[in-house]
Amino acid sequence: MRKSLLAAAGVLSAAALVLTGCSSDSGNGDGTPTVVTSTNVWGSVASAVAGDKATVTSLYTSTDGDPHEFEPSAADTATVADADILVMNGGHYDAYMEQAAKSSGATVVDAFELAGSDEHDAGDHTDHGDAGHDHGTENEHVFYDLPVVAEVAGKIADALSEQDPENAATYRANAETFTSGIDGLRTELAAIRKAHDGTKVAQTEPLAGYLLTEAGLVDAAPAGFTQAVEEGQSPSAADRAAMQDLLASRGVAVLIYNVQAIDPVTHAMLDVAKSSKVPVVEFTETLPDGVTDYLAWQRAQIDALATALGTEKK
């Protein structure tokens, strides 16, 4: 299982991060705040807020690997130890950062923890519905939860402002600009909801659950199938058959295919979808090659989803 392998095989690397974090001073020596993020997705959010006033480094940047399986190198441990601010997904998605954060002197922004906070629940957010927003059910892919991503940007601005008061106004203005971009993406999701509320889709893994729920779409893939893929296991014969029948019968309008969690079973389902003329939309867990902007990344995916559903752009 991916999460089990990470917990077992990455324990020494996580411990190294903790030990290094205990023994090193943060900062880069010139007064410029340093932000370290677990993946380039969160790095792009941090960069949008930091602008040219702070240094942002992302540990995981691969476009085709699985972030769940990442193990930090010795260089990564030094990078984390020097950070003023750590930005992580949380929810055991990036367990090595969670371990490092326990003993780090850096300010920590944990997206998953923020998602489950009273502050988030009390925020002025559109009702996402019941499905996909119970963070206790372990959908750790909160980088697809747009209101949470906006809140993370705000927390990063707060942390940077504390580290660098002289540029606080710039950080907060950048966060506001980023949040305006998030609002634009949510408007696009609202348009999809208006045209396709209740439409069934299927995912190979529960990657974009929060985003799909906000768009009013229902993930009809067998829960056992998607959970098995999430855990790096082979789905049961019954779940494979159910998923295949769902696609072959065109019981869903779109297949959302996680291109960073591919195995023979998911590839077989891709073939079924294509042969059955079910539109396929590729989603990713990290930024694709050539993309450095979170908003551009999500906009491209949302636009592809809207096109596959037949939503007319306004």
Side-chain angles (χ1 to χ4, degrees):
M1 296 186 295
R2 285 189 289 169
K3 291 178 181 175
S4 296
L5 285 173
L6 176 60
V11 66
L12 292 178
S13 295
L17 281 171
V18 172
L19 291 172
T20 307
C22 288
S23 60
S24 299
D25 295 327
S26 62
N28 57 14
D30 65 358
T32 303
T34 58
V35 184
V36 176
T37 71
S38 57
T39 71
N40 61 5
V41 168
W42 293 116
S44 65
V45 177
S47 293
V49 177
D52 62 358
K53 305 299 183 183
T55 301
V56 178
T57 302
S58 301
L59 299 186
Y60 189 86
T61 60
S62 173
T63 59
D64 55 7
D66 186 343
H68 295 85
E69 298 177 352
F70 174 70
E71 294 182 34
S73 67
D76 294 328
T77 67
T79 299
V80 169
D82 287 339
D84 294 308
I85 301 165
L86 296 177
V87 181
M88 63 185 182
N89 188 84
H92 305 302
Y93 185 83
D94 38 20
Y96 55 94
M97 287 283 274
E98 294 180 62
Q99 290 298 317
K102 291 179 180 179
S103 59
S104 172
T107 300
V108 177
V109 180
D110 183 327
F112 188 83
E113 184 177 87
L114 180 60
S117 70
D118 291 338
E119 179 179 349
H120 173 71
D121 294 339
D124 182 18
H125 302 311
T126 299
D127 179 16
H128 286 49
D130 292 330
H133 245 263
D134 178 1
H135 293 276
T137 59
E138 299 301 326
N139 186 349
E140 73 273 27
H141 304 103
V142 289
F143 46 91
Y144 273 95
D145 187 327
L146 298 183
V148 169
V149 174
E151 290 182 40
V152 168
K155 293 298 184 184
I156 294 171
D158 290 343
L160 284 169
S161 296
E162 184 174 349
Q163 290 285 332
D164 180 20
E166 183 177 342
N167 290 304
T170 297
Y171 299 133
R172 298 193 191 285
N174 289 346
E176 288 180 8
T177 298
F178 180 83
T179 298
S180 294
I182 290 289
D183 291 342
L185 296 179
R186 298 188 71 196
T187 297
E188 293 188 40
L189 294 180
I192 294 176
R193 176 186 282 272
K194 183 176 181 179
H196 302 284
D197 194 20
T199 296
K200 292 181 178 180
V201 298
Q203 298 187 89
T204 53
E205 182 187 10
L207 174 63
Y210 300 116
L211 186 147
L212 297 180
T213 299
E214 185 165 1
L217 305 175
V218 177
D219 185 359
F225 182 95
T226 57
Q227 187 62 35
V229 173
E230 167 74 5
E231 296 292 344
Q233 298 177 328
S234 179
S236 69
D239 286 331
R240 290 198 303 270
M243 183 71 158
Q244 181 170 326
D245 289 346
L246 186 67
L247 296 169
S249 66
R250 295 180 60 85
V252 293
V254 174
L255 173 66
I256 291 92
Y257 191 72
N258 182 357
V259 298
Q260 289 178 251
I262 298 175
D263 60 24
V265 174
T266 62
H267 195 274
M269 296 305 153
L270 177 64
D271 289 342
V272 172
K274 289 180 176 179
S275 64
S276 303
K277 309 298 184 187
V278 174
V280 176
V281 179
E282 295 183 348
F283 274 37
T284 65
E285 297 196 44
T286 53
L287 300 183
D289 284 330
V291 178
T292 59
D293 182 273
Y294 177 90
L295 298 174
W297 171 56
Q298 288 290 21
R299 185 174 297 109
Q301 295 189 135
I302 292 170
D303 287 350
L305 179 61
T307 299
L309 290 164
T311 303
E312 181 179 352
K313 290 194 68 175
K314 302 298 183 181

